[in-house]
Amino acid sequence: MFTPSVQHWLDLAGIFVFAISGALLAVRKNFDVVGMALLAGATGLGGGLFRDLVIGAVPPAAFTDLGYLLTPLAATALVFFLHPQVERINRAVMVFDAAGLGLFCVTGTVKAYGHGLGLAASAVLGLATAAGGGVVRDVLANEVPSLLRWDREVYALPAMVGATVVALLIHTGHLNGATSGAAAALAFVLRLLALRHNWRAPRAWHRRSRRGKEGAEEV
């Protein structure tokens, strides 16, 4: 299992890459610097806040460690001055979001298990930690969360795979820095492959639908 120091730095890394994705989305939505900071903070801290409240780690780390609050601000400053060209922002958002997904599914699962939850519950909270910030980000940006959209590439499944791998590593006693990094990389690569090849989760079996005159789907 990770030492508190390693856990802390992994959390900060996940917060940073998720916060970058939130700030980049704010740029794409033409938000001002305050909107960028709020969206970056919500994206970076949202999943971890939910996890900490569920496992009873209160007050949450986001309110007890100044680094957790400063990291989204640092990501906002970076994006404010060095954001990519407009036509490349969407790709950057997806890449950083995938990186945050991979890091948080690992750190969320490990922290939940460290607070006494079973392996299955820890994996579920790892998924919630990874996907929660993205859901909050999309809601604040007035978009349907990618997690809920059938016409978007799979989002939760890569995090679920990563969290499950971490839980299995804990169960077999093989969790360490290298294997946890491999689990995070697996979730990251699966998400990027889903984006590249348009992998989507199946909908209801034998579901029938047709397109209306305006292109809206009717069941």
Side-chain angles (χ1 to χ4, degrees), residues 1 113 119 164-176 179:
M1 203 63 64
Y113 184 79
L119 291 175
T164 301
V165 169
V166 173
L168 292 174
L169 289 171
I170 293 173
H171 179 69
T172 58
H174 291 95
L175 184 70
N176 53 47
T179 57

Side-chain angles (χ1 to χ4, degrees), residues 9-23:
W9 285 107
L10 286 174
D11 270 346
L12 291 182
I15 290 169
F16 184 75
V17 294
F18 254 163
I20 285 180
S21 78

Side-chain angles (χ1 to χ4, degrees), residues 9 14 29 42 51 57 62 71-72 80 101 137 145-146 150-151 177 203 215:
W9 285 107
K29 302 289 279 190
R51 174 202 63 208
T71 299
F80 183 82
L101 198 75
R137 176 201 63 210
S146 299
W150 72 268
D151 60 337
R203 291 187 288 167

